[in-house]
C-alpha cells in the first residue's frame, strides 16, 4: 500500500494575493525538513499540500513527526493512496485500517468528493462503505455523533485517499515569511520559548549568547547549543553567536554602582546584540523577558533596557506566567535542558539589592563614568559564529 502525508494550511489560507508566496515558502521548509529522510515529491493542488514518498522504506512516522513541527500547518493526515474505484476503496480501507478498526467499538464513515465525475455521491459512499466495514469487523457499531474512529474517504483529482483522522499541526506562519530577528538566548527556561514563539509567527530566528569564562563554564555554553538544537526542530537551521562578555562584566563591576549592575549589563547586551543583528540583516531583537518575573523585569527596568538600542525588541512572554511558559518549554522539549544547573553570566556578580525601579538618567550617568564603546566593539568582533542544525 502506498501512503502519503496530506497537509491543510493554517493562517496562510487567509492571505490574499500573497498566498502563493507563503505556500511556496512552506513547501520549501517542508522539503528541507525531510531532505535527509529520503526522496519525496512535495506539491500543492487546490488548498492541500501533498507529500509523497518516492522510494520504498522511507520512515513515514519520522516524516510525520518532523512535519508536525513545521509552522504554517493547521493539520496533517497520514493517508493511504487508492484508485478511484469503489472496489479498491473497500478492499484498501479494510487492509489499511485493520488494526484501528479491530480495536475500536464505534465508528462512522465520512466522505469528501471533489472529483464530481466519481459515480457515487457522498451519502452513497458512506452508507455502502459503512455497511461493508460492519460485515468485516463484527465488533463494530456505527455512532455518528461520537465515534471512536472516523474513517475518511477523499475522492480527489489524481486519486482517492483513506485515513482515520487528522493530527494537529504546529500552526502559525511559515518560518522566514516574517523577516529575521536576533534572539538573546540564555540557558534559562524563558528565552528558548520566546524564540519558538516568534518563529511560530514566521520569523527566521538567529541567536546570540553571552559567556563570561571563567565565571561561566564550557558546560553552560554547551547547554545553550543543545537548547538551540532543540529549538531548530521548529525554527529550522539557526546561527548562534557566542559573545565573550567577561571584560564587560568586570568593567561594569569595577566602575558602576552595584545596585545598577544588572540593568547596565542588560543594556550592554542589547547594544551588542543589536550590532550583530544589523550585520545579519535582522529587523528586531527577541528576549525572554516576562513582566515582574525578576528585578530586571519591572517596567522601569525594561524601560531602561529598551532604549539602549534602536531596533524593536520583541518580548513574546511579557504577559505570561511562569507556568504557561513552562508548559510550552515542555512541549518543545527544552525544559529538561534549561533546568540543568549551570550558571549563566546573568548570575555572575549579581548585586544583593538590585534597584528594581532604576531611573534612566541615573543609569546613563553611571555609564558615563567609563568608556564602554571600545569594549562593545571588541565583544562584537570577538563573537564566534556557530551553525546549528536540528538533531
Ligand atoms: P531566561 O529563562 O530566558 O534565562 P530569565 O527569567 O532568567 O530568562 P534574565 O536572566 O533576567 O531572565 O534574562 C532576561 C532575558 O535576557 C533572557 O530571557 C534572555 O533573552 C536575555 N539573556 C539573559 N542572559 C543571557 C545570556 N547569557 N545571553 C544572551 N541573552 C541573555
Ligand atoms: Mg536567565
Amino acid at each position: 500500500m502506498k501512503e502519503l502525508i496530506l497537509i491543510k494550511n493554517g493562517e496562510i489560507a487567509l492571505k490574499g494575493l500573497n498566498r502563493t508566496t507563503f505556500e511556496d515558502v512552506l513547501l520549501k521548509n517542508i522539503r528541507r525538513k525531510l531532505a535527509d529522510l529520503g526522496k519525496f515529491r512535495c506539491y500543492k493542488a487546490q488548498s492541500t499540500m501533498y507529500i509523497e514518498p518516492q522510494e520504498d522504506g522511507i520512515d513515514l512516522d519520522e516524516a510525520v513527526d518532523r512535519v508536525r513541527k513545521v509552522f504554517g500547518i493547521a493539520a496533517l493526515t497520514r493517508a493511504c493512496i487508492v484508485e478511484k474505484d469503489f472496489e479498491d476503496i473497500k478492499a484498501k480501507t479494510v487492509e489499511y485500517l485493520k488494526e484501528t478498526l479491530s480495536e475500536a467499538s464505534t465508528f462512522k464513515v465520512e466522505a469528501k468528493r471533489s472529483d464530481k465525475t466519481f459515480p457515487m455521491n457522498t451519502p452513497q459512499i458512506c452508507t455502502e462503505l459503512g455497511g461493508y466495514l460492519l460485515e468485516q469487523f463484527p465488533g463494530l457499531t456505527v455512532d455518528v455523533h461520537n465515534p471512536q474512529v472516523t474513517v475518511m474517504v477523499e475522492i480527489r483529482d489524481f486519486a482517492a485517499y483513506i485515513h482515520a483522522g487528522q493530527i494537529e499541526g504546529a500552526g502559525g506562519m511559515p518560518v522566514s515569511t516574517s523577516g529575521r530577528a536576533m534572539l538573546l538566548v540564555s540557558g534559562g527556561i524563558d528565552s528558548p520559548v520566546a524564540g519558538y514563539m516568534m518563529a511560530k509567527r514566521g520569523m527566521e530566528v538567529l541567536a546570540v549568547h553571552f559567556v563570561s569564562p571563567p565565571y561561566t563554564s564550557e558546560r553552560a555554553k554547551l547547554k545553550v547549543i543543545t537548547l538551540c538544537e532543540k529549538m531548530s526542530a521548529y525554527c529550522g537551521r539557526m546561527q548562534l553567536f557566542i559573545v565573550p562578555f567577561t571584560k564587560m562584566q568586570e568593567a561594569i563591576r569595577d566602575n558602576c554602582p552595584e545596585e545598577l549592575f544588572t540593568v547596565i549589563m542588560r543594556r550592554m547586551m542589547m547594544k551588542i546584540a543589536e550590532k550583530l543583528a544589523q550585520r545579519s540583516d535582522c529587523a528586531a531583537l527577541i528576549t525572554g523577558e516576562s513582566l515582574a518575573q525578576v528585578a530586571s523585569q519591572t517596567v522601569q527596568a525594561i524601560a531602561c533596557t529598551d532604549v539602549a538600542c534602536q531596533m524593536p525588541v520583541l518580548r513574546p512572554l511579557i504577559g505570561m506566567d511562569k507556568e504557561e511558559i513552562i508548559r510550552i518549554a515542555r512541549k518543545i522539549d527544552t525544559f529538561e535542558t534549561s533546568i540543568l544547573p549551570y550558571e549563566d553570566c546573568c548570575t555572575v556578580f549579581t548585586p544583593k539589592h538590585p534597584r528594581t525601579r532604576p531611573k534612566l538618567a541615573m543609569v546613563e550617568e553611571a555609564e558615563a563614568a567609563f568608556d564602554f564603546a571600545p569594549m562593545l566593539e571588541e565583544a562584537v568582533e570577538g563573537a564566534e559564529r556557530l551553525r546549528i542544525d536540528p538533531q
Side-chain angles (χ1 to χ4, degrees), residues 28-47:
K28 200 170 97 192
N29 291 350
I30 294 170
R31 284 193 191 106
R32 194 178 293 158
K33 221 27 177 299
L34 300 178
D36 64 343
L37 266 189
K39 212 165 169 286
F40 289 87
R41 183 166 163 246
C42 305
Y43 59 98
K44 58 179 180 183
Q46 284 128 8
S47 59

Side-chain angles (χ1 to χ4, degrees), residues 97-309:
L97 299 177
K98 194 185 291 156
E99 218 171 289
T100 316
L101 292 174
S102 316
E103 285 166 9
S105 53
T106 58
F107 84 113
K108 74 169 172 183
V109 178
E110 274 183 18
K112 261 194 217 158
R113 188 182 61 137
S114 53
D115 172 6
K116 301 295 180 202
T117 63
F118 189 74
M120 295 164 78
N121 62 24
T122 46
Q124 282 170 330
I125 299 171
C126 293
T127 319
E128 298 217 8
L129 183 60
Y132 183 69
L133 293 176
L134 283 172
E135 281 167 24
Q136 299 296 311
F137 298 91
L140 277 183
T141 52
V142 174
D143 180 347
V144 287
H145 301 295
N146 196 16
Q148 287 170 346
V149 179
T150 301
V151 175
M152 278 293 307
V153 181
E154 304 192 30
I155 318 278
R156 300 198 185 212
D157 284 354
F158 314 114
Y161 305 94
I162 295 161
H163 58 88
Q166 290 188 336
I167 307 165
E168 200 184 339
M173 299 295 297
V175 164
S176 93
T177 55
S178 300
R180 292 177 147 193
M182 180 71 78
L183 169 71
L184 284 86
V185 65
S186 71
I189 297 168
D190 305 329
S191 39
V193 173
Y196 160 85
M197 286 183 64
M198 295 323 299
K200 184 170 181 179
R201 295 311 304 157
M203 290 197 111
E204 184 187 344
V205 177
L206 288 69
V208 54
H209 175 64
F210 296 87
V211 292
S212 287
Y215 307 105
T216 63
S217 66
E218 187 65 16
R219 285 193 306 184
K221 173 177 149 185
L222 294 176
K223 171 180 164 176
V224 170
I225 293 175
T226 306
L227 285 173
C228 288
E229 283 169 356
K230 288 182 182 279
M231 282 168 61
S232 69
Y234 294 90
C235 303
R237 177 181 289 173
M238 291 173 73
Q239 285 181 53
L240 168 63
F241 295 88
I242 304 283
V243 175
F245 204 49
T246 317
K247 274 195 188 169
M248 177 67 82
Q249 286 197 289
E250 288 174 342
I252 302 171
R253 177 197 59 188
D254 296 342
N255 296 284
C256 302
E258 188 187 326
E259 58 171 9
L260 295 179
F261 176 85
T262 310
V263 65
I264 294 177
M265 178 193 68
R266 307 261 317 113
R267 280 165 56 88
M268 296 302 159
M269 282 186 173
M270 303 308 273
K271 288 177 197 285
I272 295 167
E274 180 180 44
K275 283 197 185 347
L276 288 168
Q278 281 161 345
R279 287 187 180 187
S280 299
D281 276 333
C282 293
L285 301 178
I286 305 169
T287 75
E289 289 162 303
S290 163
L291 191 66
Q293 199 186 78
V294 286
S296 60
Q297 294 172 25
T298 61
V299 73
Q300 293 83 355
I302 288 175
C304 291
T305 6
D306 204 56
V307 291
C309 63

Side-chain angles (χ1 to χ4, degrees), residues 186-188 344 346:
S186 71
D344 180 57
C346 276

Side-chain angles (χ1 to χ4, degrees), residues 1 7 32 38 47-48 57 78 106 135 217 233 307 309 317 326 347 355 357 387:
M1 273 180 302
I7 288 188
R32 194 178 293 158
S47 59
T48 304
R78 183 176 170 158
T106 58
E135 281 167 24
S217 66
V307 291
C309 63
L317 312 187
I326 288 176
T347 52
R355 210 176 166 92
R357 293 182 188 163
R387 207 182 78 177

